[in-house]
Amino acid sequence: MFDPFIAPSGTLLGLLQRGRGDGTLHALAAPRTEALAALNHCVLSDPRHDWQVENRSLYYARLYLDLDGGTEEIERHLWDPEDALDTDDSRTGLALAVLGHLASYGRDDALRLLRRYAATGANWAWALDELALRDDDAGLRSLAEPVLARFPATAQGAADLAAVVRDAFEPRPWRLWADDPRVSVGARVRAATEQGSFDRWQRQMRPGGPRPGWSVRAVFDWAQEGLERGSVLHVPAARCLSAVAGAGDRPLIIEAARSGSDGARSAALHYLAGVRDPAVLDLIEQAVACPSRTVADAAVAAFERMCGEDAVRRARRWVRRPDALGASAAGVLACRGGAQDAPLVLAALREAVRGEGTDTARLGTLVDGTGRLGIACAAPVLRHVYRETSSSHLRGRAARALAVTDPSFATGFAVECLWDCEETTRELAALHAETGDVRVAERLRRLAADPAEEAEVQTAVRSRIGPDAPAV
């Protein structure tokens, strides 16, 4: 998946792509045609950099309801000829998830589209998962034959079906179909279920990892062999070392961390960091200068796993380094440093934003650190990150830091956050938003009554509007 184009944060499209609460508020105030065009653009061209940590589907579904938007554009997108060519989940996953939420709100048009796509579309498994949560038994049973028709009655077809049944995210449809009296349905699904269970048992009986009685050298060889196959086994190999290494093995492990093969060196660094060996910090510093990118990255990762005061002291020395270890040191201070480290964390935050923008991966730890350390003068930078980042996950972290550092948060961003796409951000807003704003009272009531809202958000809302809470 290519990185999506994100419009400027001051535009309606940019706000909706980011999932900001202001996106909904601006869309409701904009001409309906313009708002629906921007909304459809977002749903049909997923704006998220990482769909595993960023939410948009409920946010967009609610806006479809507020704008009384139809599903015609989604339908055209799902049955575009490209569906047969581009089968990656990223092309249709967001649209299917939005349809799932619309179906849960009682939109029959969305339910019909999901059923039809599960029967004929390339990303049918995602659609089936959405239906497993929302459709009735009769609707799911009607899909048994078209779904099973995707798997020919051959040995390979049976194997593919067994793999799909075994790995299904939502098992409900398969359990229903297993009870179907038709041989072409029930018998096939039951056989696939049994084969999937047998495959899982076989994998458990043939583990590919270390065995009891392995030596330290054998663990190092295993880590190197995995690296040569393209599998990064540094961390599991370090855990194996914890099980097999004795006091007499320390010289061998130190030597591996200093000059071993890439796999062995990386595993040794992780192990020594885990046991807080006195030599590990110097070994990490040496490894960062290593020509091997694998070893250098493993050294930085090993340092980030350390949690003792010795690591914090060394981080204060390394934080001004202009390399990955310096960036890692700033993160260590943000997570584990004391009040005296606040200027260093703030300087690192400003430098990261100035040099790498508001979407760099290391910003999250630094943003959290400003909140943890209560760095009030970081509020202007945090507001900038909040407004500009395209990551709704990072924006939520910025909001949490602002709740600690910015006195105006309750009357400012907290109000907008009640409409945010991330449930954790809405929960934060429900706890902090100033109820003197008439929009806040109405929004809290709506969230309390919305059956699709997360339980944590509704708990926070009830703390503000419950019988023992101040009047809203």
Side-chain angles (χ1 to χ4, degrees):
M1 179 180 177
F2 295 104
D3 284 342
F5 167 76
I6 304 297
S9 61
T11 64
L12 174 58
L13 177 59
L15 289 170
L16 291 179
Q17 286 178 315
R18 288 167 172 81
R20 279 182 54 181
D22 263 3
T24 293
L25 299 176
H26 280 66
L28 296 177
R32 181 172 175 273
T33 302
E34 177 186 343
L36 282 174
L39 175 58
N40 283 321
H41 182 282
C42 293
V43 173
L44 307 186
S45 300
D46 194 336
R48 297 170 295 179
H49 288 280
D50 187 351
W51 63 268
Q52 296 184 71
V53 298
E54 295 185 61
N55 297 305
R56 292 291 188 282
S57 54
L58 179 59
Y59 173 84
Y60 293 143
R62 283 172 167 168
L63 191 50
Y64 271 114
L65 295 175
D66 290 338
L67 295 172
D68 193 24
T71 56
E72 297 81 9
E73 291 299 318
I74 296 179
E75 182 176 8
R76 275 192 283 272
H77 177 70
L78 293 180
W79 277 277
D80 188 281
E82 189 179 359
D83 190 59
L85 304 174
D86 183 1
T87 58
D88 193 280
D89 288 355
S90 62
R91 196 190 84 83
T92 54
L94 179 57
L96 294 170
V98 169
L99 289 176
H101 283 298
L102 288 175
S104 70
Y105 280 116
R107 287 280 296 263
D108 289 339
D109 56 341
L111 187 63
R112 287 193 297 271
L113 283 182
L114 282 172
R115 287 173 178 169
R116 182 179 157 207
Y117 189 81
T120 63
N123 194 11
W124 61 273
W126 192 311
L128 187 61
D129 284 340
E130 296 292 337
L131 289 167
L133 298 173
R134 281 115 182 167
D135 207 354
D136 56 27
D137 288 356
L140 291 174
R141 288 192 178 102
S142 70
L143 293 170
E145 288 188 315
V147 167
L148 292 176
R150 297 175 180 275
F151 303 94
T154 62
Q156 185 59 50
D160 292 342
L161 178 59
V164 168
V165 174
R166 182 191 66 220
D167 300 332
F169 190 73
E170 294 291 344
R172 181 179 163 226
W174 302 101
R175 289 172 180 167
L176 280 174
W177 299 343
D179 293 333
D180 194 298
R182 291 171 291 181
V183 174
S184 60
V185 176
R188 287 195 71 191
V189 173
R190 288 192 297 273
T193 302
E194 292 170 2
Q195 182 61 48
S197 299
F198 180 71
D199 292 344
R200 190 178 297 111
W201 174 79
Q202 281 189 314
R203 287 203 304 268
Q204 293 169 347
M205 293 298 292
R206 292 197 303 265
R211 304 287 197 280
W214 270 28
S215 65
V216 168
R217 177 61 64 190
V219 173
F220 286 150
D221 291 343
W222 176 65
Q224 180 61 27
E225 290 166 4
L227 190 60
E228 292 169 357
R229 295 194 307 269
S231 301
V232 178
L233 301 174
H234 315 331
V235 176
R239 289 197 295 267
C240 292
L241 288 175
S242 298
V244 304
D249 293 311
R250 181 176 182 270
L252 175 61
I253 297 173
I254 293 289
E255 183 57 32
R258 183 178 292 115
S259 59
S261 64
D262 286 2
R265 193 172 183 183
S266 300
L269 288 169
H270 274 278
Y271 168 77
L272 293 171
V275 298
R276 294 175 59 182
D277 189 282
V280 69
L281 291 169
D282 292 334
L283 290 168
I284 285 172
E285 191 167 17
Q286 294 168 18
V288 167
C290 174
S292 168
R293 187 76 262 155
T294 298
V295 172
D297 290 345
V300 171
F303 175 62
E304 290 174 347
R305 292 165 64 89
M306 298 183 68
C307 56
E309 184 57 33
D310 50 344
V312 174
R313 286 194 297 269
R314 189 63 67 97
R316 292 179 183 130
R317 281 176 45 188
W318 288 343
V319 70
R320 292 182 177 85
R321 291 174 58 121
D323 59 7
L325 188 56
S328 177
V332 168
L333 293 179
C335 293
R336 306 182 189 100
Q340 72 270 33
D341 301 310
L344 296 173
V345 173
L346 178 57
L349 174 65
R350 287 171 171 163
E351 181 60 31
V353 171
R354 187 184 305 116
E356 303 172 53
T358 56
D359 286 319
T360 180
R362 69 188 186 101
L363 265 186
T365 302
L366 297 173
V367 164
D368 292 345
T370 60
R372 187 182 73 84
L373 297 171
I375 308 175
C377 55
V381 186
L382 293 172
R383 293 189 203 107
H384 176 71
V385 172
Y386 177 96
R387 292 189 187 98
E388 297 300 325
T389 183
S390 63
S391 167
S392 56
H393 181 66
L394 177 58
R395 183 177 64 251
R397 296 168 80 166
R400 286 193 292 275
L402 283 167
V404 177
T405 60
D406 186 1
S408 68
F409 179 73
T411 56
F413 285 140
V415 176
E416 172 191 342
C417 287
L418 287 170
W419 285 265
D420 197 88
C421 65
E422 297 291 341
E423 64 264 21
T424 53
T425 306
R426 295 194 299 275
E427 179 184 1
L428 179 79
L431 293 171
H432 288 89
E434 175 55 59
T435 55
D437 189 321
V438 294
R439 296 175 300 170
V440 172
E442 175 56 33
R443 183 60 175 171
L444 289 175
R445 294 190 184 99
R446 183 169 178 180
L447 291 175
D450 191 335
E453 188 51 83
E454 296 291 334
E456 293 82 0
V457 178
Q458 293 194 324
T459 298
V461 169
R462 284 193 291 270
S463 74
R464 302 294 299 279
I465 65 174
D468 299 325
V472 175

